[in-house]
Amino acid sequence: MKNTLVFVAASLLLSGAYAQSQSQEAAPPFDSRPQLVAESLKNVRPRGVVVQITDGSTAEGSGSGLMKVDKAALAGQHFADAREARPHQLPMQGGTPI
């Protein structure tokens, strides 16, 4: 019984070590067809072409406190200024109005 237990424990350890040494991450296949196709497509891309990114990053001004003024923003500001220009009474502190 003791010998069987030692044999099972040893076989589990060896099988675990064998399974870890044959993983795809330990030795990735660099000569597979998808890998070769991806490398050829990467090599075909033109070099030195710089494309301007317009995703609203800080280079564009968004996030750094700057705002791009467009037609909708100007119209909204106009409506807000007109609303503030109308005479209105400030609410009084205290109870409910009568």
Side-chain angles (χ1 to χ4, degrees):
M1 181 69 180
K2 188 174 183 180
N3 289 340
T4 307
L5 185 60
V6 169
F7 177 72
V8 169
S11 65
L12 284 174
L13 287 174
L14 290 176
S15 66
Y18 177 75
Q20 288 178 0
S21 67
Q22 302 296 324
S23 70
Q24 290 285 326
E25 294 174 354
F30 288 111
D31 57 348
S32 66
R33 180 161 171 73
Q35 181 70 28
L36 294 174
V37 169
E39 287 293 327
S40 66
L41 289 175
K42 185 178 79 171
N43 293 334
V44 169
R45 281 194 320 228
R47 302 283 182 229
V49 177
V50 178
V51 178
Q52 184 175 4
I53 299 173
T54 57
D55 63 347
S57 62
T58 56
E60 194 66 28
S62 176
S64 60
L66 300 175
M67 187 176 79
K68 292 173 70 174
V69 180
D70 57 349
K71 195 173 181 181
L74 288 175
Q77 187 61 44
H78 174 70
F79 288 135
D81 292 341
R83 191 171 47 245
E84 285 295 318
R86 286 193 299 247
H88 60 280
Q89 183 180 7
L90 295 176
M92 295 177 60
Q93 252 181 341
T96 56
I98 300 175

